[in-house]
Amino acid sequence: MTVHVDKPKGAPQSVTAGPIQGSRKIYASPADRPDIRVPYREIVLTDPDESPVRVYDPSGPYTEADAVIDLAKGLPLVREPWITARNYVAVEPRPVKPEDNGNVSADALVAPCPTKRMVRRAASGQLVTQYEFARAGVITEEMIYVAHRENLCREAMLAEAEAKIVDGESFGAAIPPFITPEFVRQEVARGRAIIPANINHPELEPMAIGRNFLVKINANIGNSAVVSTAADEVEKLAWAIRWGADTVMDLSTGRNIHNIRSWILRNSPVPIGTVPIYQALEKVGGDPVKLNWQVFRDTLIEQAEQGVDYFTIHAGVRLHYVPLTANRVTGIVSRGGSIMARWCLAHHRESFLYERFDEICDIMRDYDVSFSLGDGLRPGSLADANDAAQFAELETLGELTKVAWGKGCQVMIEGPGHVPLHKIKVNMDKQLRECGEAPFYTLGPLTTDIAPGYDHITSGIGAAMIGWFGTAMLCYVTPKEHLGLPNRDDVKTGVITYKIAAHAADLAKGHPAAQVRDDALSRARFDFRWEDQFNLSLDPDTARAYHDETLPKDAHKVAHFCSMCGPKFCSMKITQDLRAEVAAMSPEDHERLVGMHAMSQEFLAGGSRLYVPTSE
Amino acid sequence: MTVHVDKPKGAPQSVTAGPIQGSRKIYASPADRPDIRVPYREIVLTDPDESPVRVYDPSGPYTEADAVIDLAKGLPLVREPWITARNYVAVEPRPVKPEDNGNVSADALVAPCPTKRMVRRAASGQLVTQYEFARAGVITEEMIYVAHRENLCREAMLAEAEAKIVDGESFGAAIPPFITPEFVRQEVARGRAIIPANINHPELEPMAIGRNFLVKINANIGNSAVVSTAADEVEKLAWAIRWGADTVMDLSTGRNIHNIRSWILRNSPVPIGTVPIYQALEKVGGDPVKLNWQVFRDTLIEQAEQGVDYFTIHAGVRLHYVPLTANRVTGIVSRGGSIMARWCLAHHRESFLYERFDEICDIMRDYDVSFSLGDGLRPGSLADANDAAQFAELETLGELTKVAWGKGCQVMIEGPGHVPLHKIKVNMDKQLRECGEAPFYTLGPLTTDIAPGYDHITSGIGAAMIGWFGTAMLCYVTPKEHLGLPNRDDVKTGVITYKIAAHAADLAKGHPAAQVRDDALSRARFDFRWEDQFNLSLDPDTARAYHDETLPKDAHKVAHFCSMCGPKFCSMKITQDLRAEVAAMSPEDHERLVGMHAMSQEFLAGGSRLYVPTSE
């Protein structure tokens, strides 16, 4: 379903909406807080003996059955009553300047999203950030929301799984069987989790990033100087969250970025992250050397007022680290990192992001914009992985984490990059140690350099592993990485690949509710409930289409085989016959069969073998 | 390029041939054996300072520049002189029976490949298998070939990498800096590697499977009762090896399989594996209960005479293990496993594969058909991973490995399946222990069940990990797994995904030559040598197409940016400017900058910090 919207010039024209096939959107509330409505996606199965499966759902109102999406009006204000109750100060918004939209000519100007929101800022002497509330022992509505959301009705599902033992290796994470609001508060207070939630983003459906919660994924959108428009970007947002992106970074550069961002924020139920140095650079004509604190500071305020939930700040790229990259195979591959390195070297001065870090904290704290401390010196090739430059920066990020906490800010840390399998765990361990367990947010990592066109896979491998080791959020990589700007299909492929990586990590960590969906799908598969198998999958449309490519008839949707093996060779069918046969056995026959196994075990345990190896 | 072939009815019509774009086929010989011509693919780079990169090339004559492929004639007989010198006995081939082709009617019969090969068998008192030669201290031509092939001109490449330190974690594998024929012999003699090479497959270009060699991948082809024809299967073979499949399994069922197999073998430069029980089942009308030793034995001889290089034999599915699968979520998912379980239970007898294992060994030894001991009880869902049934079978496979070695046979062991990340290593460790380090050959494993349509990715993650831990060959999974029969695109996607997994594993194990290609590609990327980047990638066609989607002009092939970031935001471009600036610095300035880093390091090492964490 596509919802069309009447719109001012340059505004988004339509957006993908409606439920994912086979699913329906539901809302549930904690027992004592009926006013807090937490969204889930429920997959109803065809077998009446099977409970519906509820899955985590970041897609917002777009996937409601009768979604009425008016992009010009923006999404419902989920957080408005909570924010209002906190007595922030309403401020006159900073006036929009021509440079905010890249000095675009009037005829090329994209109109801003027409809906108006009150702009708020911290009141003096008042708690502002989720971190401050948590430290003060206050459980916010956002924490209650997150607790309920993370549990995924875990109680009911766990009971159903009949107290199944959940194993796993969590490498020191401490995922509780059940998540309470108090647990969320404690994790936020310890800095082990963040709830990115700008006080100017009331449309947000709160979510947590931390290694004792479900592993999250981020999708990047953004125009570039070469291609893409406002309409594309809002549609990309809706599309990315439809398939499971938990946060979205708007990496736009070029013209109209202020106004495009207004459309994105007013229509985003997920946290939006940005890299403010990109816009600052636009404002100084694209020359890194001309950057300065004033224009950067002004950009932070501009974006914080719009409601951006987290900022990537490359404050760890210090002047004296730059020479450490001189002999790298691929130098500095982070855009923000290279911009700051260029500035430092040109001025022969310490980075103003580092020197002004206190002031940056003060600004971000005033709106509860979370830090995503950027890895400007991440390796861009296996050859550069885990080198002196990368780790020097990580140590600085650890130092800055503690500064930001001291200022009341929420913090996560960005990580690599290109890293071979055997060097991944060192990254995680060092990050936890240096950064006091602040959440790690990694790009991939890519485990080989030789597969452009398939870097969603080279990086999905690394992402699953580092997620298992403790990374809290995985930044997706699309098949177009290194080659071009992703289109709609690429965004979906990237998101699904990263949902796989995140889920594989959750399973391996021993997340108590993670395997419920796998088990439900496997039962459907074994029972030849094809529709259930499709609907339980991460991408029902593709699963169904692939099946139908070779067996398109409706009758085959209930067929007890597929085209892989055909009817005679279907192991599942044979096994079902087998199971029926075992069930029909007399108790004596069954006893004898099982007894044979026991006897044989004893025989082997006693050191006897039917055959004696020739080496003996 | 597509080569068209005049052909008898039902025979393949054409096959993809010609070099991969940007590469050329070369042959090189060991210094003292100019008669042994080992194939490589050479990627010539546009930068005259860059040496060409040689990569392992299983694609056979199909990728020669002026490939003349005559499918009816078959490929050149690479091994003929070596085999001839060994004095095997020429035998009258077993006559083809109607049941070999599924009793197909005359009008539907696919003609066999018309080329004739002498059929050979062991002579009494003569060494036959590579294992026997190795144990007797004889270095075969196959071992010399394999040694040269595995080195990939490693000497030259290592020298070029300037004695770069290769790190890695190999979990007990012992990959030498340089591979000699004697090393290959030792590995084969210890059972740690196999060279699958039926004496009736003279077209074979020998290759090794073992954890001290490059990690290999297998692609499955095969018609099924529902779709696909002879032409499809031979083209799939050529297509799969073009993109890097090291062996191919023909999993055909249904009619014409004997004759289709003749086309495949006579035109395959890679080892061909089969699962003989599939054809045996066809011969008894598809009813597992009707299977018997005579028909199975006859099928082994039929296929061994045709030249099949390895057989999957599910001899580990024992009668008393069947009840262990009764409470599984997905029962028995191996086709061969379910067939044998059905037989055992119906007859209430021990498996004839287990009881007749000695005789199976004698037959396979006579042609040097390698064992691939099948994992008939592998888990088909995460819920069933590492359970009693799976591990009971693995222990039996260990017992059978030693029996097969005692009979002079080469052996590898098949492995799972569906396994979450944290349960993968246990599989590898147990396999090495139980099976005396015989090569492990795993399907995936799939690390989650919830992504049908993307199981190349769910399994590619597991494959990279288990390859790192020591698996010698990874059986590919395509996007159609669980849903339908793969088409041409699916086969390619599966192969490339598994080349990624295998290469990521090689890198992590510390294979001395693995990173050469990554480094060459990364240098090309950093230098904006787009054509070199495409040509060095696993799939140049896709890399080029993706790039051209947004920047199609030829001028952009030398552009110092891409559409991801556009010209102003390209970190690589900024870094190049930066590097030029550092290079232009006066020695004093450079000294001062580097000195600042050293000072800062001392400062930190001394316990001082610019900021003091609030917690202190």
Side-chain angles (χ1 to χ4, degrees), chain B residues 198 304 308-311 364-365 367-371 409-410:
Chain B
N198 186 321
V308 173
D309 301 286
Y310 63 91
F311 288 157
M364 289 173 65
R365 181 255 174 202
Y367 307 88
D368 199 4
V369 180
S370 297
F371 273 98
C409 295
Q410 303 192 87

Side-chain angles (χ1 to χ4, degrees), chain A residues 243-262:
Chain A
W243 299 111
D246 295 289
T247 79
V248 166
M249 289 195 80
D250 173 19
L251 303 184
S252 293
T253 57
R255 297 178 305 176
N256 285 312
I257 49 182
H258 180 95
N259 287 358
I260 292 175
R261 195 185 304 121
S262 73

Side-chain angles (χ1 to χ4, degrees), chain A residues 470-485:
Chain A
T471 288
M473 184 157 77
L474 306 169
C475 182
Y476 90 165
V477 171
T478 78
K480 289 279 168 61
E481 182 77 11
H482 298 120
L483 298 169
L485 209 62

Side-chain angles (χ1 to χ4, degrees), chain B residues 24-197:
Chain B
R24 63 179 187 190
K25 181 87 154 196
I26 59 166
Y27 291 90
S29 301
D32 52 344
R33 288 298 296 262
D35 59 315
I36 295 181
R37 294 173 70 241
V38 182
Y40 302 94
R41 179 155 69 86
E42 190 169 77
I43 305 163
V44 179
L45 306 179
T46 59
D47 183 339
D49 292 338
E50 291 273 345
S51 306
V53 173
R54 283 192 185 179
V55 301
Y56 192 100
D57 183 7
S59 62
Y62 296 98
T63 49
E64 288 177 359
D66 305 304
V68 179
I69 303 292
D70 181 347
L71 296 180
K73 197 173 154 217
L75 296 181
L77 306 184
V78 175
R79 295 173 65 215
E80 187 68 21
W82 318 336
I83 294 169
T84 304
R86 284 174 204 156
N87 299 315
Y88 300 119
V89 180
V91 293
E92 188 61 33
R94 167 190 170 285
V96 178
K97 304 172 188 172
E99 68 201 50
D100 298 349
N101 285 303
N103 296 307
V104 64
S105 60
D107 62 323
L109 183 72
V110 171
C113 182
T115 192
K116 294 290 170 214
R117 301 273 188 267
M118 181 192 294
V119 175
R120 296 178 165 98
R121 206 174 59 202
S124 118
Q126 201 86 30
L127 300 174
V128 182
T129 70
Q130 298 290 322
Y131 181 77
E132 288 173 331
F133 282 114
R135 300 282 288 185
V138 178
I139 294 174
T140 62
E141 284 83 358
E142 285 84 353
M143 297 170 197
I144 298 169
Y145 192 105
V146 158
H148 201 263
R149 192 171 202 183
E150 289 279 336
N151 278 323
L152 278 177
C153 312
R154 209 182 283 188
E155 277 172 316
M157 291 203 297
L158 284 178
E160 181 195 329
E162 280 168 24
K164 181 173 155 144
I165 295 157
V166 176
D167 55 13
E169 164 55 63
S170 71
F171 300 103
I175 304 172
F178 193 75
I179 300 216
T180 62
E182 170 60 16
F183 177 78
V184 177
R185 188 198 64 74
Q186 287 171 16
E187 290 290 296
V188 173
R190 287 180 65 163
R192 286 210 300 209
I194 65 170
I195 300 176

Side-chain angles (χ1 to χ4, degrees), chain A residues 342 454 480 539 549 581, chain B residues 342 454 480 539 549 581:
Chain A
R342 184 95 180 81
Y454 298 81
K480 289 279 168 61
D539 177 2
E549 234 175 71
E581 201 159 324
Chain B
R342 183 95 180 82
Y454 299 81
K480 290 279 168 60
D539 177 2
E549 234 175 72
E581 202 160 324

Side-chain angles (χ1 to χ4, degrees), chain A residues 588-600:
Chain A
E588 296 73 30
D589 279 355
H590 195 267
E591 185 65 29
R592 196 161 61 228
L593 200 60
V594 175
M596 278 179 64
H597 178 247
M599 262 175 56
S600 154

Side-chain angles (χ1 to χ4, degrees), chain A residues 28-38 139-141 144-145 147-148 178 180-182:
Chain A
S29 300
D32 51 345
R33 289 298 296 263
D35 58 314
I36 295 181
R37 295 173 69 239
V38 183
I139 293 174
T140 61
E141 285 83 358
I144 300 170
Y145 192 104
H148 202 263
F178 193 74
T180 61
E182 170 58 17

